Amino acid sequence: MVHDDYKEMIPARALSALDVAEAQALNEHLENCAECCKELDEWQATAAALALGADPAEPSPKVRERILDDVRKDLSEPHVVPFRATPRNLWSSFGSLGAMAAAVLFTALIVGLIVLWRQNNAIRKDLEQSREFVQLVTSPGAIVTELKATDVAGRASATIAYDRSGHAILLASNLPNVPQGKAYQLWFLVDNASPMPGKTFAPDSNGHGVLKEQVPTEALDSPVFAITLEPAGGSSVPTSPIYLHSISINF
Amino acid sequence: MLKAIAARDEAALAQLYDRYDRILFGLLMRILNNREEAEDVLQETFIQVWRKAADFDETRGRPFTWLVTLARSRAIDRLRTLASRERVAEARAREVSEEISDAATDALKSEQRGLVSDALAKLPDEQKRPIMLAYFDGLTQSEIATRLGAPLGTVKTRMRTGMSRLRELLAGQGESFGF
């Protein structure tokens, strides 16, 4: 396809109406075409205006309360702010080398305690996840499926376990690091239907990733699982090559 | 307002919610046809706004476009995930023709809605239906072709032509929307 072919697809893309293969091809083109990106922004404004074609409706006041409750919880948690250099002269502030040494020792002690606390928390979290995974695997009717890596995922591997109710846990290892603003996303495939998007997750610095998910009811009988690299908020259709999959598939 | 939200201003988020909740909830109800699901998606959308407001790029579009795109995208994902499309579509099929004409009439309730509905009313039905089925039912072009019993190429052409016409009709109206 050439540039003009992609350009013609953009109005349908703004309506999320492209079929999977076309959407994937256009998304790849958009990564390298500023003109089409600008065009898409304009078409999305046209599409957004269609929202006004629906009758406005009043949500329950509880929705507003729930949103603001979540926000307040978020605000009450520690928030990382960019470090700002202090204008004070530290040398004169401490007044003596002894005070400096004491401050350095104290800081080292605090840092050490934080490292230990975080390691302890990480170990505890790992144990909890392992325990939960084992419980799931050993529950009646549980199914365990291995996901294999494609060339883009190198030595990555993953296992997903799910029970009859669809409660699922994915454990992945050796995943390549994700670029800023990206995350891995799980997909469910059933027969010839469009891939159904699952949740996103980011691996830790060692390439380990854990995802708790709910397998859609319609995918419970014979699901095929796949993992792609998507924008951190997730995608409605896959936009990257497959990184891992449970059987040989193509989007 | 989004800059204030990015700076973690709770009041700014509440203000944004109060400004757009009815429009967005109306859109979500139209897509999902289920109050509980629509309220869930509305909540998820505003939590996403809270977390991602810093990602909003005002050089790429208006906050309204960003909000609607976020909300609709989540609703379409949920529609497809829940496979409730058929259920919704069945309900919709009974009312789709009335809905389009109703949209043109009811739109007079507000100037902004009137502009959009007037524009929609000017589109031939053969162009309007693929657009409405994609936008509110989350159908892809192939699914629309099957639904309408029309060749895929025809659906693509009609959708593209209809969107171009809609864009022309709405051109210059962005400021009128006040978004």
Side-chain angles (χ1 to χ4, degrees):
Chain A
M1 272 192 282
V2 295
H3 175 79
D4 285 347
D5 296 326
Y6 290 115
K7 207 169 173 180
E8 283 197 347
M9 292 157 66
I10 294 176
R13 165 71 161 71
L15 293 168
S16 317
L18 289 176
D19 292 301
V20 175
E22 284 184 330
Q24 193 169 346
L26 178 59
N27 285 338
E28 285 169 12
H29 174 73
L30 288 170
E31 284 177 11
N32 300 304
C33 182
E35 184 190 336
C36 284
C37 283
K38 186 170 182 298
E39 189 89 356
L40 177 60
D41 289 340
E42 290 168 9
W43 282 112
Q44 279 184 325
T46 303
L50 287 168
L52 297 166
D55 287 331
E58 190 80 44
S60 157
K62 287 180 182 171
V63 179
R64 190 179 192 278
E65 286 170 23
R66 290 202 299 258
I67 292 167
L68 295 180
D69 281 349
D70 281 355
V71 165
R72 283 175 202 129
K73 270 183 210 158
D74 187 43
L75 284 171
S76 68
E77 289 168 3
H79 182 55
V80 177
V81 294
F83 177 77
R84 195 175 295 167
T86 170
R88 284 195 309 153
N89 182 332
L90 284 177
W91 291 98
S92 60
S93 298
F94 283 109
S96 73
L97 285 175
M100 279 289 294
V104 168
L105 281 173
F106 181 71
T107 305
L109 179 64
I110 295 297
V111 168
L113 284 172
I114 290 172
V115 169
L116 281 173
W117 175 77
R118 290 180 67 171
Q119 283 175 344
N120 189 34
N121 268 1
I123 291 167
R124 191 185 307 152
K125 195 175 168 192
D126 281 349
L127 282 172
E128 279 171 7
Q129 286 169 344
S130 301
R131 193 179 303 130
E132 203 172 341
F133 189 76
V134 169
Q135 275 178 357
L136 179 60
V137 169
T138 54
S139 65
I143 295 172
V144 180
T145 303
E146 298 291 329
L147 276 70
K148 291 178 182 172
T150 63
D151 290 344
V152 288
R155 296 185 304 114
S157 63
T159 303
I160 188 165
Y162 60 100
D163 63 16
R164 288 171 185 161
S165 71
H167 172 51
I169 298 178
L170 171 85
L171 296 182
S173 55
N174 296 321
L175 286 167
N177 288 336
V178 292
Q180 183 76 21
K182 296 274 189 177
Y184 288 107
Q185 185 167 7
L186 181 65
W187 299 90
F188 308 97
L189 294 94
V190 181
D191 299 325
N192 295 320
S194 302
M196 289 178 279
K199 292 178 183 171
T200 58
F201 67 98
D204 63 18
S205 56
N206 297 316
H208 297 305
V210 178
L211 178 69
K212 290 181 191 175
E213 181 57 284
Q214 182 67 32
V215 179
T217 311
E218 60 271 34
L220 271 176
D221 287 335
S222 55
V224 174
F225 304 97
I227 293 174
T228 62
L229 187 64
E230 302 293 342
S235 300
S236 56
V237 294
T239 62
S240 85
I242 296 168
Y243 276 63
L244 296 119
H245 55 84
S246 54
I247 60 167
S248 183
I249 51 168
N250 286 304
F251 282 134
Chain B
M1 203 181 292
L2 284 168
K3 281 182 185 166
I5 295 169
R8 300 168 69 76
D9 182 341
E10 177 192 339
L13 184 76
Q15 201 180 339
L16 187 80
Y17 180 88
D18 293 339
R19 185 168 178 184
Y20 291 117
D21 65 333
R22 295 186 76 249
I23 290 175
L24 293 179
F25 189 61
L27 169 67
L28 298 174
M29 279 296 291
R30 177 83 177 261
I31 293 172
L32 293 164
N33 204 29
N34 178 296
R35 192 170 179 86
E36 193 179 341
E37 286 172 11
E39 288 187 341
D40 276 355
V41 174
L42 184 66
Q43 181 178 348
E44 288 171 8
T45 300
F46 276 91
I47 293 301
Q48 190 176 2
V49 168
W50 174 251
R51 290 177 181 154
K52 302 285 182 185
D55 293 348
F56 171 70
D57 181 354
E58 61 188 2
T59 64
R60 294 188 55 191
R62 294 165 184 278
F64 174 74
T65 299
W66 189 62
L67 268 178
V68 168
T69 305
L70 284 182
R72 180 175 171 272
S73 173
R74 283 188 167 274
I76 298 295
D77 283 352
R78 180 164 297 213
L79 194 65
R80 289 174 177 166
T81 303
L82 295 175
S84 55
R85 181 187 301 166
E86 289 306 317
R87 173 176 56 78
V88 176
E90 282 166 15
R92 181 85 24 81
R94 292 192 294 273
E95 57 185 276
V96 66
S97 56
E98 292 82 356
E99 239 174 13
I100 293 167
S101 56
D102 284 351
T105 310
D106 294 345
L108 296 175
K109 289 173 188 169
S110 75
E111 182 191 356
Q112 294 89 358
R113 295 186 61 227
L115 290 170
V116 173
S117 298
D118 285 350
L120 282 171
K122 286 176 185 162
L123 292 186
D125 195 50
E126 63 184 26
Q127 292 172 11
K128 185 161 46 189
R129 287 200 76 193
I131 292 173
M132 304 294 266
L133 286 169
Y135 195 76
F136 291 113
D137 289 4
L139 298 187
T140 64
Q141 290 178 318
S142 297
E143 291 167 329
I144 292 167
T146 305
R147 173 75 62 85
L148 299 179
L152 178 59
T154 305
V155 167
K156 287 182 176 181
T157 304
R158 288 175 179 171
M159 183 179 281
R160 195 166 52 242
T161 309
M163 283 293 281
S164 296
R165 179 80 179 122
L166 199 59
R167 188 178 174 179
E168 286 168 15
L169 291 165
L170 296 174
Q173 303 293 351
E175 295 301 327
S176 303
F177 294 151
F179 302 132

